[in-house]
Amino acid sequence: MTLRLRIGAATHMGLVRDANEDAYHVDEPVGLVVVADGMGGHRGGEVASATALDALRMALADGKDLSAAIVDANRAVFEKASGDAALAGMGTTLTAGTLVEDTFVIGHVGDSRAYLARDGELVRVTADHSLVAELVRAGELTEEEAETDPRRSMITRALGVDPDVEVDVYPVELHPRDRLLVCSDGLTVMLGEDQIATLLAEEPDPQAAAARLVAAANDAGGADNVTVVVADVVDDADSDTGDDSTSPDSPGPGVEPVRRRWWSRRRDTA
Ligand code: MG
């Protein structure tokens, strides 16, 4: 069994904010997915999320494991924030996953989230580093109360705030036909998990699913920047017998350049 990911991604600044401080990076051949949600005055949020992504990619390219790469990304954002008064106090969440054989290793800091959809069920993999999540874990708020609590965007752990950061790591053993979702809180604040699960189940194409989730968050009010990455787990051994919508001849609606690059690489190496 050789697993790989088919990835779709979409981001939008939403209907209220005037800039998009979220950022994402996906790499199908490597099996890499990253979502970062920056914060900070002026352009700080955008700089923080972009800086974290760049540093993470460089560290991974140098052969570091995901957790060490996130520590590097933290240091890069921290140093940039320390060296420029206009960027002081900026920070970013970062939730990243990388395919290591048949395991999706997730590294996580902040309140972006990773979910696993398997056999019709959507399971949240990551635990938010947020004030309301801590209050839920302490039994002081219910999940329902947390969803509408005015403090729900206050995060308790981020990249760039301190010289060191604690990274939560979740290894998820994958099965063919699993679907992974990595998203910023602009999705989960606007949509309930049942709505997200329904939409993911309805739309077989990962790019179309990502675009539809972003559109649904905006339809619900678009109060925040929203970023969605949907990654389908494909077993190369049975890809010929799979659903037509996953075949290279009919890649489905909304094909993004990233997937064309993947297919052309596949042809190059065939
Ligand atoms: Mg956000």
Side-chain angles (χ1 to χ4, degrees), residues 11-22 37-39 93 111-112 152-153 155 183-190 214 217-218 220-227:
T11 188
H12 194 275
M13 72 176 179
L15 306 180
V16 174
R17 306 291 175 87
D18 56 12
N20 193 348
E21 300 183 323
D22 285 2
D37 177 351
M39 64 212 75
T93 75
D111 69 349
S112 300
R152 68 185 178 222
S153 65
I155 63 173
C183 60
S184 65
D185 70 327
L187 182 73
T188 50
V189 162
M190 301 315 300
V214 166
N218 283 337
D224 193 5
N225 304 151
V226 55
T227 300

Side-chain angles (χ1 to χ4, degrees), residues 150-254:
R151 299 165 294 177
R152 68 185 178 222
S153 65
M154 294 176 64
I155 63 173
T156 52
R157 212 192 288 180
L159 299 193
V161 178
D162 288 305
D164 296 305
V165 71
E166 187 185 347
V167 179
D168 291 352
V169 176
Y170 304 87
V172 178
E173 202 181 308
L174 295 177
H175 301 169
R177 288 174 291 283
D178 282 349
R179 173 170 268 191
L180 299 151
L181 166 68
V182 182
C183 60
S184 65
D185 70 327
L187 182 73
T188 50
V189 162
M190 301 315 300
L191 300 181
E193 290 179 341
D194 50 343
Q195 293 171 278
I196 295 171
T198 300
L199 215 148
L200 283 173
E202 278 174 8
E203 178 51 67
D205 179 76
Q207 179 58 39
R212 283 182 60 183
L213 283 166
V214 166
N218 283 337
D219 287 345
D224 193 5
N225 304 151
V226 55
T227 300
V228 175
V229 178
V230 175
D232 285 348
V233 180
V234 179
D235 181 2
D236 267 338
D238 66 18
S239 61
D240 290 342
T241 58
D243 178 342
D244 278 351
S245 68
T246 65
S247 91
D249 298 327
S250 58

